[in-house]
Amino acid sequence: MKLTAFAFLGFAISAFAQTEVVTTAAQTSKPTSSPKKKTDEANKNPFGPESKNEGPITTEIYADEASFDSSKNVGVFTGHVKVFDPRFNLQSDKLTVYLHKGEEQGLEKAIAEGNVGVVRDRPDPNGGPPTHAVGRSEHAVYTATDGSVELTGMPKVQQGLNLHIATSSETVMVINQDGHLNTHGPSRTEIRQEPKEEKPGSPSPSPSPKQ
C-alpha cells in the first residue's frame, strides 16, 4: 500500500505496516533544559504505568484508520485505538479528538467509544509506588482543562485489590488527574484482602491424639 503523510494542526501522521496509523500531537509549552529520556515504543503497554514528562506534552494515537476535518479541528480514529499520553493511557474501538483552535493546537477533549479501558496513576502520599486506577466502560470523555476522565455506560474501576462497580446505567464515575475517584449514582464496592501468609518456622498445629 502507499505510504502517506498528513499535516493537521500539530499532528504528524505516518501510515505503516498495512493500515496502522501513528499520530503525535504536542502542545506548544516551552521545553525545559533537562534532556528528555527516550521511550522504547515496542515495550509500551496501554495498561502500564504512566511516565512523567517535563516540557511539551506528546499524545500518541495508534489506530487502524484515521480521518481529519481541519475546518473543525477534529480527528476521528477507529479500529484497535490505543492512546499513550503522560496524563493517561487509553484504548477503545473509536476515538474522537478535538484540538484547541488558534496558536495552542493542543488536545482539548477526547471522546472514546466502545470497549473503553483507561489507566491513571494515583500517587502514594508516603512516597511509595503509585496505585493504578483502571477504568472500563462503554464511553469515556477526557477533558484537558481539568484533567478529568468521565466514564459512563456501566463503568467499573479497580484500584489495587478493590473494585468499584456501577449498578445502574445512569451511574457516572470520574477519575481526576490525581487518580481520585468520584461516583455519581448507584454502585457496589468490593474490598478485598489477601490472606496472611504463615511465616517460615512458625509452629504448625499439632494433630489430636488418637483415642
Side-chain angles (χ1 to χ4, degrees):
M1 63 176 294
K2 296 182 179 179
L3 300 180
T4 309
F6 298 91
F8 172 70
L9 299 173
F11 278 109
I13 301 125
S14 60
F16 66 96
Q18 295 182 349
T19 58
E20 187 174 13
V21 178
V22 179
T23 304
T24 303
Q27 290 185 343
T28 56
S29 56
K30 295 181 180 179
T32 60
S33 58
S34 60
K36 184 178 179 181
K37 295 182 180 180
K38 295 183 179 180
T39 303
D40 184 359
E41 294 190 11
N43 295 327
K44 284 186 177 179
N45 181 355
F47 292 99
E50 300 178 50
S51 59
K52 304 300 180 182
N53 285 355
E54 295 181 357
I57 297 175
T58 300
T59 304
E60 297 180 5
I61 305 174
Y62 294 75
D64 293 340
E65 298 181 2
S67 63
F68 306 94
D69 187 339
S70 57
S71 64
K72 297 180 179 179
N73 287 19
V74 175
V76 179
F77 303 86
T78 55
H80 303 94
V81 180
K82 295 182 180 179
V83 180
F84 301 100
D85 187 286
R87 299 158 292 187
F88 66 96
N89 292 331
L90 181 145
Q91 68 180 31
S92 63
D93 295 335
K94 178 182 178 181
L95 180 73
T96 305
V97 171
Y98 298 85
L99 300 181
H100 288 290
K101 296 181 179 180
E103 296 181 356
E104 291 186 19
Q105 296 183 0
L107 180 63
E108 178 181 6
K109 182 172 67 174
I111 299 176
E113 301 172 74
N115 298 309
V116 178
V118 60
V119 174
R120 303 204 74 161
D121 281 347
R122 179 176 180 177
D124 186 345
N126 299 320
T131 300
H132 293 308
V134 181
R136 297 186 181 276
S137 65
E138 284 302 311
H139 189 271
V141 178
Y142 170 76
T143 306
T145 52
D146 60 4
S148 66
V149 178
E150 181 182 277
L151 305 175
T152 55
M154 298 302 293
K156 59 181 178 180
V157 174
Q158 182 165 0
Q159 293 182 325
L161 295 176
N162 302 328
L163 184 63
H164 193 59
I165 307 170
T167 57
S168 169
S169 59
E170 302 298 322
T171 299
V172 177
M173 296 184 184
V174 180
I175 307 175
N176 68 17
Q177 59 185 350
D178 295 325
H180 291 273
L181 172 66
N182 295 306
T183 301
H184 308 280
S187 63
R188 184 180 83 253
T189 301
E190 297 178 2
I191 301 176
R192 301 180 183 180
Q193 184 175 0
E194 292 288 355
K196 293 182 178 180
E197 296 182 0
E198 292 186 3
K199 296 181 180 180
S202 60
S204 58
S206 57
S208 58
K210 294 182 179 180
Q211 299 294 332

